[in-house]
Protein backbone atom coordinates (compact mmCIF):
# COMPACT_ATOMS: atom_id res chain seq x y z
CA UNK A 1 0.00 0.00 0.00
CA UNK A 2 1.09 3.57 -0.66
CA UNK A 3 1.83 5.47 2.56
CA UNK A 4 -1.29 7.42 3.43
CA UNK A 5 0.71 10.38 4.76
CA UNK A 6 3.64 12.47 3.57
CA UNK A 7 5.54 14.93 5.74
CA UNK A 8 5.94 18.63 5.10
CA UNK A 9 9.69 18.08 4.70
CA UNK A 10 9.12 15.42 2.05
CA UNK A 11 6.71 17.64 0.12
CA UNK A 12 9.06 20.62 0.28
CA UNK A 13 11.72 18.44 -1.35
CA UNK A 14 9.33 17.27 -4.10
CA UNK A 15 7.50 20.47 -5.07
CA UNK A 16 9.24 20.47 -8.46
CA UNK A 17 8.74 16.77 -9.14
CA UNK A 18 6.62 16.55 -12.32
CA UNK A 19 5.07 13.30 -11.11
CA UNK A 20 3.74 14.89 -7.89
CA UNK A 21 0.53 16.93 -7.98
CA UNK A 22 -0.51 18.84 -4.87
CA UNK A 23 -4.24 19.42 -4.35
CA UNK A 24 -5.83 21.92 -1.99
CA UNK A 25 -8.92 19.99 -0.98
CA UNK A 26 -10.18 22.48 1.61
CA UNK A 27 -13.91 22.40 2.38
CA UNK A 28 -15.69 24.55 4.95
CA UNK A 29 -18.90 23.64 6.76
CA UNK A 30 -21.83 25.95 5.87
CA UNK A 31 -21.73 27.44 9.37
CA UNK A 32 -18.13 28.63 8.82
CA UNK A 33 -19.35 31.14 6.21
CA UNK A 34 -16.02 30.87 4.38
CA UNK A 35 -15.23 30.40 0.70
CA UNK A 36 -12.35 28.00 0.06
CA UNK A 37 -12.20 28.90 -3.64
CA UNK A 38 -11.83 32.60 -2.78
CA UNK A 39 -9.20 31.86 -0.12
CA UNK A 40 -7.02 29.74 -2.41
CA UNK A 41 -5.48 32.66 -4.39
CA UNK A 42 -4.64 34.40 -1.12
CA UNK A 43 -2.10 31.69 -0.29
CA UNK A 44 -1.45 28.02 -1.07
CA UNK A 45 1.35 25.48 -1.33
CA UNK A 46 3.42 26.38 -4.42
CA UNK A 47 2.14 24.62 -7.53
CA UNK A 48 -1.03 23.40 -5.82
CA UNK A 49 -4.22 22.89 -7.79
CA UNK A 50 -7.66 23.53 -6.31
CA UNK A 51 -9.80 20.41 -5.77
CA UNK A 52 -13.33 21.40 -4.78
CA UNK A 53 -15.49 18.51 -3.59
CA UNK A 54 -18.56 20.64 -4.30
CA UNK A 55 -17.50 20.84 -7.95
CA UNK A 56 -16.15 17.31 -8.45
CA UNK A 57 -19.48 15.76 -7.49
CA UNK A 58 -22.82 14.61 -8.85
CA UNK A 59 -24.50 17.85 -10.00
CA UNK A 60 -27.93 16.22 -10.12
CA UNK A 61 -27.98 14.99 -6.52
CA UNK A 62 -29.52 17.45 -4.02
CA UNK A 63 -27.29 16.15 -1.22
CA UNK A 64 -23.94 17.92 -0.75
CA UNK A 65 -20.85 16.74 -2.68
CA UNK A 66 -22.10 13.27 -3.56
CA UNK A 67 -19.63 11.27 -5.63
CA UNK A 68 -19.57 11.92 -9.38
CA UNK A 69 -19.59 9.33 -12.12
CA UNK A 70 -16.30 7.65 -13.00
CA UNK A 71 -16.22 9.54 -16.30
CA UNK A 72 -16.75 12.89 -14.58
CA UNK A 73 -14.03 12.15 -12.03
CA UNK A 74 -11.62 11.06 -14.76
CA UNK A 75 -12.27 14.29 -16.65
CA UNK A 76 -11.61 16.39 -13.55
CA UNK A 77 -8.41 14.52 -12.66
CA UNK A 78 -7.16 14.70 -16.25
CA UNK A 79 -7.69 18.47 -16.30
CA UNK A 80 -5.46 18.73 -13.21
CA UNK A 81 -2.63 16.92 -14.99
CA UNK A 82 -3.06 13.65 -13.08
CA UNK A 83 -2.50 10.25 -14.68
CA UNK A 84 -1.87 6.73 -13.42
CA UNK A 85 1.76 7.50 -12.56
CA UNK A 86 1.05 10.68 -10.60
CA UNK A 87 1.44 10.81 -6.85
CA UNK A 88 -1.38 13.00 -5.56
CA UNK A 89 -0.80 14.84 -2.27
CA UNK A 90 -3.88 16.43 -0.71
CA UNK A 91 -4.00 19.04 2.04
CA UNK A 92 -6.48 21.40 3.66
CA UNK A 93 -6.32 24.47 5.88
CA UNK A 94 -7.47 22.62 9.00
CA UNK A 95 -4.65 20.06 9.20
CA UNK A 96 -6.65 16.99 8.23
CA UNK A 97 -10.30 17.32 7.38
CA UNK A 98 -11.49 17.40 3.77
CA UNK A 99 -8.04 16.36 2.51
CA UNK A 100 -9.03 12.86 3.64
CA UNK A 101 -12.13 13.07 1.41
CA UNK A 102 -9.87 13.94 -1.54
CA UNK A 103 -7.65 10.97 -0.64
CA UNK A 104 -10.66 8.65 -0.43
CA UNK A 105 -12.15 9.84 -3.73
CA UNK A 106 -8.98 9.03 -5.64
CA UNK A 107 -8.88 5.57 -4.08
CA UNK A 108 -12.59 5.13 -4.83
CA UNK A 109 -11.83 5.70 -8.50
CA UNK A 110 -8.89 3.30 -8.57
CA UNK A 111 -5.90 5.56 -7.88
CA UNK A 112 -3.78 4.33 -4.98
CA UNK A 113 -0.91 6.76 -5.49
CA UNK A 114 -2.45 9.33 -3.19
CA UNK A 115 -1.51 10.66 0.24
CA UNK A 116 -2.48 13.35 2.73
CA UNK A 117 -0.03 16.06 3.83
CA UNK A 118 0.47 15.34 7.53
CA UNK A 119 -0.42 18.49 9.45
CA UNK A 120 -1.72 20.21 6.33
CA UNK A 121 -1.53 23.96 5.92
CA UNK A 122 -1.18 24.70 9.68
CA UNK A 123 2.07 22.71 9.92
CA UNK A 124 3.32 23.98 6.55
CA UNK A 125 2.89 27.59 7.64
CA UNK A 126 4.18 27.00 11.19
CA UNK A 127 7.45 25.84 9.62
CA UNK A 128 7.58 28.94 7.39
CA UNK A 129 7.47 26.83 4.24
CA UNK A 130 7.11 28.70 0.91
CA UNK A 131 3.70 29.97 -0.13
CA UNK A 132 2.27 31.04 -3.47
CA UNK A 133 -0.49 33.52 -4.24
CA UNK A 134 -2.74 34.00 -7.23
CA UNK A 135 -4.71 31.43 -9.22
CA UNK A 136 -3.44 27.91 -9.75
CA UNK A 137 -0.89 27.53 -12.52
CA UNK A 138 -2.40 25.30 -15.18
CA UNK A 139 -0.80 21.92 -15.73
CA UNK A 140 -0.80 20.09 -19.06
CA UNK A 141 -3.93 17.98 -19.33
CA UNK A 142 -3.36 14.25 -19.33
CA UNK A 143 -5.44 11.08 -19.35
CA UNK A 144 -6.72 9.64 -16.09
CA UNK A 145 -8.33 6.20 -16.20
CA UNK A 146 -10.97 5.82 -13.48
CA UNK A 147 -11.83 2.37 -12.15
CA UNK A 148 -14.72 2.55 -9.70
CA UNK A 149 -14.42 0.49 -6.50
CA UNK A 150 -18.02 0.00 -5.30
CA UNK A 151 -16.92 -1.73 -2.09
CA UNK A 152 -15.52 1.55 -0.73
CA UNK A 153 -18.84 3.42 -0.70
CA UNK A 154 -22.20 2.61 0.85
CA UNK A 155 -25.71 3.94 0.27
CA UNK A 156 -28.61 4.50 2.66
CA UNK A 157 -30.02 1.08 1.73
CA UNK A 158 -26.69 -0.53 2.57
CA UNK A 159 -26.68 1.15 5.98
CA UNK A 160 -30.32 0.20 6.64
CA UNK A 161 -29.38 -3.40 5.89
CA UNK A 162 -26.40 -3.17 8.25
CA UNK A 163 -28.64 -1.82 11.02
CA UNK A 164 -31.12 -4.62 10.47
CA UNK A 165 -28.79 -7.60 10.22
CA UNK A 166 -25.74 -6.36 12.12
CA UNK A 167 -23.29 -7.70 9.55
CA UNK A 168 -21.28 -4.47 9.40
CA UNK A 169 -19.98 -2.15 12.12
CA UNK A 170 -20.92 1.53 11.82
CA UNK A 171 -18.67 4.29 13.13
CA UNK A 172 -19.69 7.96 13.34
CA UNK A 173 -17.03 10.67 12.90
CA UNK A 174 -19.19 13.63 14.00
CA UNK A 175 -18.53 15.45 17.28
CA UNK A 176 -19.85 13.57 20.31
CA UNK A 177 -22.58 16.13 21.02
CA UNK A 178 -24.07 15.69 17.57
CA UNK A 179 -23.89 11.89 17.96
CA UNK A 180 -25.87 11.97 21.21
CA UNK A 181 -28.29 14.58 19.87
CA UNK A 182 -27.33 17.16 22.48
CA UNK A 183 -25.91 19.56 19.86
CA UNK A 184 -27.74 20.70 16.71
CA UNK A 185 -26.68 19.78 13.23
CA UNK A 186 -25.00 22.53 11.17
CA UNK A 187 -27.40 21.97 8.28
CA UNK A 188 -31.04 23.08 8.65
CA UNK A 189 -33.79 20.49 8.65
CA UNK A 190 -31.72 17.68 10.14
CA UNK A 191 -32.99 15.50 12.96
CA UNK A 192 -30.54 14.92 15.82
CA UNK A 193 -29.05 11.67 17.04
CA UNK A 194 -27.22 8.76 15.43
CA UNK A 195 -27.68 5.61 13.39
CA UNK A 196 -28.79 2.77 15.70
CA UNK A 197 -25.90 0.53 16.68
CA UNK A 198 -23.24 2.99 15.54
CA UNK A 199 -20.23 4.02 17.62
CA UNK A 200 -18.97 7.54 18.21
CA UNK A 201 -15.39 8.19 17.05
CA UNK A 202 -15.01 11.95 16.51
CA UNK A 203 -12.65 12.73 13.65
CA UNK A 204 -11.15 15.61 15.65
CA UNK A 205 -9.60 12.99 17.95
CA UNK A 206 -7.59 11.50 15.07
CA UNK A 207 -5.05 14.34 15.14
CA UNK A 208 -2.67 15.86 17.68
CA UNK A 209 -4.24 19.12 18.82
CA UNK A 210 -0.99 21.11 18.95
CA UNK A 211 0.57 20.14 15.59
CA UNK A 212 -2.57 19.04 13.68
CA UNK A 213 -0.60 15.96 12.64
CA UNK A 214 -2.14 12.50 12.56
CA UNK A 215 -1.99 10.24 15.59
CA UNK A 216 0.57 7.48 15.44
CA UNK A 217 -0.61 3.94 14.77
CA UNK A 218 -0.42 2.84 18.41
CA UNK A 219 -2.75 5.67 19.39
CA UNK A 220 -5.12 4.78 16.55
CA UNK A 221 -5.26 1.15 17.70
CA UNK A 222 -6.22 2.39 21.16
CA UNK A 223 -8.91 4.71 19.74
CA UNK A 224 -10.59 1.92 17.81
CA UNK A 225 -10.40 -0.36 20.85
CA UNK A 226 -11.92 2.31 23.09
CA UNK A 227 -15.04 2.56 20.90
CA UNK A 228 -15.24 -1.21 20.37
CA UNK A 229 -14.69 -1.08 16.61
CA UNK A 230 -12.49 -3.73 15.00
CA UNK A 231 -11.20 -2.17 11.77
CA UNK A 232 -10.28 -5.59 10.40
CA UNK A 233 -14.00 -6.40 10.19
CA UNK A 234 -16.50 -4.94 7.66
CA UNK A 235 -17.16 -1.36 8.70
CA UNK A 236 -19.07 1.66 7.42
CA UNK A 237 -17.83 5.11 8.36
CA UNK A 238 -20.36 7.95 8.54
CA UNK A 239 -20.31 11.64 9.47
CA UNK A 240 -22.25 14.79 8.55
CA UNK A 241 -21.99 14.60 4.77
CA UNK A 242 -19.33 12.02 3.91
CA UNK A 243 -16.26 14.22 4.48
CA UNK A 244 -14.79 13.52 7.93
CA UNK A 245 -15.92 9.89 7.67
CA UNK A 246 -12.96 9.59 5.31
CA UNK A 247 -10.60 10.46 8.19
CA UNK A 248 -11.70 7.27 9.94
CA UNK A 249 -11.26 5.31 6.70
CA UNK A 250 -7.76 6.76 6.38
CA UNK A 251 -6.97 5.74 9.97
CA UNK A 252 -8.07 2.17 9.23
CA UNK A 253 -5.96 2.19 6.05
CA UNK A 254 -2.89 3.20 8.06
CA UNK A 255 -3.51 0.18 10.29
CA UNK A 256 -3.48 -2.13 7.28
CA UNK A 257 -7.24 -2.25 6.65
CA UNK A 258 -7.86 -0.51 3.30
CA UNK A 259 -11.45 -1.60 2.76
CA UNK A 260 -13.44 0.51 5.23
CA UNK A 261 -16.44 1.93 3.36
CA UNK A 262 -17.83 5.46 3.58
CA UNK A 263 -21.54 6.25 3.71
CA UNK A 264 -21.79 8.89 0.99
CA UNK A 265 -24.36 11.45 2.07
CA UNK A 266 -24.07 10.32 5.70
CA UNK A 267 -26.19 12.35 8.14
CA UNK A 268 -27.25 14.88 5.47
CA UNK A 269 -29.05 11.92 3.92
CA UNK A 270 -30.03 9.89 7.00
CA UNK A 271 -31.02 12.79 9.26
CA UNK A 272 -33.08 14.63 6.66
CA UNK A 273 -35.58 11.81 6.22
CA UNK A 274 -38.60 10.95 8.39
CA UNK A 275 -38.33 7.21 7.76
CA UNK A 276 -34.80 6.33 8.93
CA UNK A 277 -34.38 5.01 12.50
CA UNK A 278 -32.50 7.25 14.94
CA UNK A 279 -31.17 6.77 18.45
CA UNK A 280 -30.09 9.49 20.86
CA UNK A 281 -27.80 9.49 23.85
CA UNK A 282 -24.49 7.61 24.13
CA UNK A 283 -23.74 4.46 22.17
CA UNK A 284 -25.13 1.18 23.48
CA UNK A 285 -22.63 -0.22 25.97
CA UNK A 286 -23.02 -3.78 24.68
Amino acid sequence: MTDALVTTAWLADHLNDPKVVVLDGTYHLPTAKRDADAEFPEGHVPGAQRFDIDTVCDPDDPLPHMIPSADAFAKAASALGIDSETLVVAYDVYGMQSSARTWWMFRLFGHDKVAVLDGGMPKWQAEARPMETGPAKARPATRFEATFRPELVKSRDDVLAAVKDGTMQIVDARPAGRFTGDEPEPRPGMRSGHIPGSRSMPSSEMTNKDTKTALDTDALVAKFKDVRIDPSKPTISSCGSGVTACIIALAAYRLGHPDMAVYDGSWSDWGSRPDTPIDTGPADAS
Side-chain angles (χ1 to χ4, degrees):
M1 298 193 307
T2 299
D3 287 344
L5 302 174
V6 299
T7 66
T8 50
W10 184 95
L11 183 58
D13 288 340
H14 290 80
L15 285 178
N16 296 318
D17 187 335
K19 299 311 293 181
V20 175
V21 173
V22 182
L23 299 181
D24 181 330
T26 300
Y27 163 77
H28 300 300
L29 279 170
T31 50
K33 300 189 183 304
R34 294 174 61 180
D35 185 337
D37 286 340
E39 293 171 359
F40 179 84
E42 298 173 0
H44 51 265
V45 172
Q49 306 291 303
R50 178 78 180 109
F51 187 87
D52 184 358
I53 62 172
D54 279 331
T55 299
V56 188
C57 65
D58 181 353
D60 299 320
D61 198 308
L63 295 172
H65 38 255
M66 296 290 283
I67 59 169
S69 67
D71 286 345
F73 187 87
K75 183 177 179 180
S78 297
L80 294 169
I82 298 168
D83 61 25
S84 62
E85 298 304 313
T86 304
L87 173 61
V88 176
V89 178
Y91 75 88
D92 62 56
V93 301
Y94 293 103
M96 186 170 65
Q97 191 193 65
S98 49
S99 53
R101 172 77 179 194
T102 305
W103 169 87
W104 173 77
M105 287 180 71
F106 273 89
R107 291 200 63 241
L108 179 67
F109 290 104
H111 191 75
D112 284 324
K113 292 183 177 180
V114 59
V116 168
L117 178 62
D118 195 15
M121 183 60 79
K123 191 169 192 292
W124 185 267
Q125 290 186 304
E127 296 169 346
R129 303 283 183 184
M131 295 287 289
E132 184 174 75
T133 58
K137 296 176 180 177
R139 292 177 53 88
T142 184
R143 182 175 176 82
F144 182 92
E145 299 284 350
T147 303
F148 183 61
R149 291 169 164 160
E151 70 275 10
L152 294 184
V153 64
K154 297 298 180 184
S155 67
R156 182 192 331 119
D157 286 344
D158 295 325
V159 179
L160 282 167
V163 171
K164 182 178 179 180
D165 59 30
T167 56
M168 295 189 75
Q169 304 169 113
I170 304 171
V171 60
D172 191 322
R174 293 175 302 155
R178 287 167 60 189
F179 179 90
T180 60
D182 293 325
E183 296 177 5
E185 289 297 308
R187 295 176 177 84
M190 300 288 107
R191 294 183 292 161
S192 295
H194 58 266
I195 298 167
S198 60
R199 303 289 181 180
S200 176
M201 191 173 181
S203 61
S204 61
E205 297 180 5
M206 299 297 101
T207 55
N208 296 292
K209 289 182 171 53
D210 52 347
T211 62
K212 305 300 182 183
T213 53
L215 297 181
D216 62 33
T217 53
D218 287 344
L220 289 179
V221 168
K223 288 288 185 182
F224 278 108
K225 185 176 180 180
D226 285 346
V227 300
R228 300 185 300 282
I229 290 288
D230 182 348
S232 70
K233 295 180 179 179
T235 307
I236 300 169
S237 182
S238 181
C239 61
S241 63
V243 176
T244 58
C246 300
I247 297 174
I248 310 301
L250 185 146
Y253 181 98
R254 291 180 58 213
L255 296 178
H257 310 298
D259 298 326
M260 183 177 288
V262 169
Y263 174 16
D264 200 30
S266 288
W267 200 258
S268 63
D269 179 34
W270 193 273
S272 65
R273 301 177 61 88
D275 57 349
T276 45
I278 286 177
D279 282 348
T280 56
D284 188 338
S286 61

